[in-house]
């Protein structure tokens, strides 16, 4: 997007001379022929360029910082049904022996990708014969939380012990590029190229709602600080709860 949409517009204007007005006019210009979500991604790229300039002390402020929020971006509400999950797991097994377990961990824990890949073995604690918990220390909200493992998660932990790499303390010792490459291969074979790893987290929340778990419990488990965050990011789920409540009242 830099060469196609940023360079032609700003041309040879020095970065130090670009101000908030310039960026705002560029946003308006791009919205004439670009989707709001696309323009937002391009704006984030421009913002990153300026942040890099600040980091290296070439400039003091980022003119993108106070640009008016881009409206018209509809949040993606994608989750997998049971058939899609089985198809994805089958293709993942052919991609890498550990990938089905990584996907199952996403589906059962509802954790963010960054939280999962940062898990170390000392985050895993066996409370008693029936309960195992994992401590999530790098939550997006900067608040650690404890997550009770499902039976499937406990089985994955045992399988990961067999795959344990002596040189790594990570529960899933997978390089970021390897994870991305294997994931993209699996979803392509499964015919689910529109599915992201984050959609596995959304699937977890969806299944929890369908199972009748209250929103406050779900919010705590997946790491949202309050119900407002859950409502913002999982509007479809909140709608399904409201629909269920209406049916109960009717009955």
């Amino acid at each position: 997007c830099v060469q196609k949409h940023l360079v032609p517009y700003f041309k040879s204007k020095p970065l130090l001379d670009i101000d908030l007005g310039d960026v705002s006019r560029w946003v308006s210009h791009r919205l004439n022929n670009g989707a709001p979500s696309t323009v937002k991604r391009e704006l984030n790229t421009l913002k990153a360029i300026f942040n890099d300039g600040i980091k290296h002390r070439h400039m003091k402020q980022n003119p993108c910082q106070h640009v008016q929020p881009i409206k018209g971006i509809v949040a993606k509400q994608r989750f997998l049904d049971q058939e899609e999950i089985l198809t994805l797991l089958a293709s993942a097994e052919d991609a890498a022996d550990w990938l089905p377990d990584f996907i199952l961990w996403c589906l059962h824990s509802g954790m963010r990708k960054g939280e999962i890949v940062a898990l170390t073995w000392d985050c895993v604690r066996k409370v008693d014969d029936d309960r195992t918990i994992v401590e999530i220390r790098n939550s997006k909200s900067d608040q650690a939380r404890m997550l009770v493992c499902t039976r499937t998660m406990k089985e994955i932990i045992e399988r990961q012990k067999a795959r344990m790499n002596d040189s790594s303390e990570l529960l899933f010792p997978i390089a970021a590029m390897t994870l991305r490459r294997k994931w993209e291969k699996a979803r392509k074979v499964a015919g689910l190229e529109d599915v992201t790893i984050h959609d596995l987290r959304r699937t977890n929340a969806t299944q929890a709602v369908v199972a009748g778990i209250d929103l406050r419990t779900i919010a705590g488990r997946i790491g949202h600080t309050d119900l407002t965050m859950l409502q913002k990011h999982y509007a479809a789920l909140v709608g399904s709860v409201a629909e269920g409540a209406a049916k109960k009242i009717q009955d």
Side-chain angles (χ1 to χ4, degrees), residues 34-220:
S37 57
T38 301
V39 178
K40 183 177 180 180
R41 285 195 299 271
E42 293 171 359
L43 177 61
N44 286 338
T45 299
L46 184 59
K47 186 182 297 183
I49 292 173
F50 282 111
N51 282 338
D52 192 59
I54 294 173
K55 179 180 178 180
H56 291 88
R57 300 182 179 181
H58 296 310
M59 55 188 62
K60 294 182 178 181
Q61 59 185 7
N62 191 326
C64 301
Q65 197 65 40
H66 300 292
V67 173
Q68 288 294 319
I70 298 174
K71 299 179 180 180
I73 299 176
V74 180
K76 179 185 175 186
Q77 299 290 343
R78 177 73 162 96
F79 58 88
L80 286 74
D81 59 32
Q82 197 64 30
E83 184 177 348
E84 289 175 324
I85 291 173
L86 292 175
T87 301
L88 180 60
L89 288 173
S91 62
E93 191 170 355
D94 291 333
D97 67 327
W98 50 264
L99 187 55
D101 279 341
F102 183 87
I103 292 172
L104 284 170
W105 187 277
C106 293
L107 289 168
H108 279 256
S109 70
M111 292 170 60
R112 300 175 178 89
K113 181 180 70 174
E115 295 172 342
I116 296 173
V117 298
L119 280 178
T120 53
W121 282 104
D122 62 348
C123 294
V124 180
R125 302 178 186 176
K126 189 172 183 178
V127 179
D128 51 40
D129 290 340
D130 296 323
R131 286 183 299 171
T132 298
I133 61 174
V134 291
E135 181 184 6
I136 302 166
R137 300 169 181 167
N138 67 322
S139 176
K140 189 176 180 180
S141 63
D142 291 327
Q143 296 181 358
R145 69 183 189 277
M146 297 291 186
L147 188 67
V148 178
C149 294
T150 65
R151 184 182 70 253
T152 295
M153 290 170 68
K154 289 187 285 186
E155 291 171 352
I156 292 171
I157 289 172
E158 293 304 312
R159 288 195 289 272
Q160 286 301 105
K161 286 181 181 178
R163 302 182 182 119
M164 188 181 294
N165 185 341
D166 293 337
S167 64
S168 176
E169 298 179 353
L170 297 174
L171 179 61
F172 291 94
I174 310 162
M177 187 57 68
T178 300
L179 174 59
R180 179 177 179 179
R181 187 174 67 253
K182 296 297 185 181
W183 165 258
E184 290 182 351
K185 177 182 178 181
R187 68 177 183 174
K188 182 177 182 180
V189 172
L192 298 170
E193 293 183 82
D194 65 319
V195 174
T196 66
I197 291 179
H198 190 81
D199 291 330
L200 303 179
R201 172 177 161 86
R202 184 173 289 109
T203 299
N204 169 275
T206 302
Q207 292 179 336
V209 168
V210 172
I213 300 174
D214 67 277
L215 290 179
R216 192 170 296 279
T217 299
I218 296 172

